Amino acid sequence: MTARTALVVSAHSADFVWRCGGAIALHAQKGVAVTVVCLSYGERGESAKLWKQDGMTLEKVKVGRRLEAENAAKALGVHDIQFFDCGDYPLELDREQRFRLVDVIRKVQPDFMLSHSLEDPYNTDHPYATRVALECRMVAQAWGHNPGEKVLGAPQLYLFEPHQTEQCNWKPDTILDITDVWDRKKAAIECMEGQQHLWDYYTNVAQNRANQFRRNSGGQAGGREAKYAEAFQSIFPRTVDEL
Ligand SMILES: [Zn+2]
């Protein structure tokens, strides 16, 4: 059996840490090779703390954000992290950059993919990244695109948790127990020095999702113990032989 793989498409260079760092660490621990693509560094829109420092430039912010993301990826056991540097606020990919993502998808041949919610009125870069991920997934499946290459199968796309779920019309259908790897996610979160205001927030989110994991895995009748969890909304139906 060939090794399992996964692909994360992150609009900005820190998103993968808050939203699916636990899923990454957990699967890495299981031997899944996880590739992360950061479409931008979030250099303009998600680096306020860096911009408050004297003498800051766009290039300096990018270098700082890249270093943070690389350190976080190391803490999580990411197999490969790639930075597309497409620019943020707004994030935009031209045709060539989209085909670059198609190439990555075909090379990785992910068993599953992860990206943002389909809506986010606070941050339009996030749903944009998901639209691009869906579009590139579709192109990677097309026999007429670069004929001769191995075409993509049908990996699930899991949408990770946005900052304010209701406004983003995001509703989870999958809750993943990340208790075993919480220390790794915490270490990755702490690499994000530019966004310290979010550290406690995402610890609380993980604890609340763990409460729901316990409730949905049996509740008071004997739900499985979980201290930290991440939730996801899946796009495609599962194909099963039994329920
Ligand atoms: Zn972001």
Side-chain angles (χ1 to χ4, degrees):
M1 208 182 111
T2 51
R4 292 184 69 211
T5 55
L7 178 68
V8 182
V9 179
S10 186
H12 312 110
S13 60
D15 294 324
F16 71 94
V17 177
W18 319 112
R19 312 192 184 289
C20 65
I24 293 171
L26 188 74
H27 287 86
Q29 200 175 64
K30 291 175 187 290
V32 178
V34 183
T35 297
V36 176
V37 170
C38 296
L39 297 177
S40 78
Y41 294 104
E43 62 271 20
R44 284 154 43 95
E46 296 186 2
S47 307
K49 199 174 165 201
L50 293 171
W51 281 113
K52 286 173 190 164
Q53 294 172 16
D54 286 339
M56 199 44 76
T57 65
L58 200 61
E59 277 318 303
K60 276 191 205 169
V61 172
K62 284 187 191 181
V63 169
R65 293 278 291 179
R66 182 181 177 123
L67 195 66
E68 284 183 355
E70 283 172 341
N71 287 338
K74 236 175 266 166
L76 297 172
V78 166
H79 169 73
D80 183 26
I81 182 162
Q82 299 189 24
F83 299 92
F84 277 28
D85 194 12
C86 298
D88 72 326
Y89 282 61
L91 172 66
E92 242 170 339
L93 274 77
D94 62 23
R95 209 170 167 80
E96 199 178 309
Q97 288 164 325
R98 284 157 193 251
F99 284 151
R100 184 181 167 195
L101 184 58
V102 174
D103 288 344
V104 173
I105 294 173
R106 281 200 169 171
K107 189 158 175 277
V108 171
Q109 294 285 328
D111 292 292
F112 62 91
M113 296 170 64
L114 290 149
S115 198
H116 298 262
S117 53
L118 289 171
E119 294 176 42
D120 189 341
Y122 299 100
N123 195 319
T124 57
D125 286 3
H126 291 165
Y128 180 85
T130 311
R131 281 203 303 280
V132 166
L134 277 167
E135 184 183 82
C136 293
R137 178 187 181 277
M138 174 189 78
V139 176
Q141 291 175 324
W143 286 81
H145 177 76
N146 292 344
E149 284 183 8
K150 189 181 177 195
V151 297
L152 181 71
Q156 180 62 269
L157 176 65
Y158 291 104
L159 309 179
F160 41 61
E161 180 155 359
H163 197 64
Q164 294 198 31
T165 54
E166 293 88 344
Q167 275 69 26
C168 300
N169 279 322
W170 176 91
K171 195 170 167 183
D173 56 26
T174 306
I175 305 180
L176 181 71
D177 180 4
I178 59 161
T179 309
D180 284 352
V181 292
W182 174 253
D183 56 335
R184 300 182 75 166
K185 177 162 181 175
K186 188 166 180 281
I189 282 176
E190 288 171 2
C191 293
M192 297 298 151
E193 290 168 21
Q195 289 164 295
Q196 212 166 341
H197 59 291
L198 293 177
W199 292 7
D200 284 347
Y201 184 89
Y202 280 102
T203 302
N204 293 339
V205 168
Q207 288 167 336
N208 289 335
R209 292 300 177 196
N211 188 301
Q212 294 163 5
F213 182 100
R214 295 195 291 274
R215 179 68 181 86
N216 285 286
S217 63
Q220 293 183 347
R224 213 182 83 196
E225 192 52 42
K227 288 195 175 71
Y228 300 96
E230 282 174 349
F232 302 94
Q233 178 181 340
S234 50
I235 291 276
F236 301 102
R238 284 159 196 273
T239 49
V240 298
D241 291 315
E242 46 182 290
L243 294 176

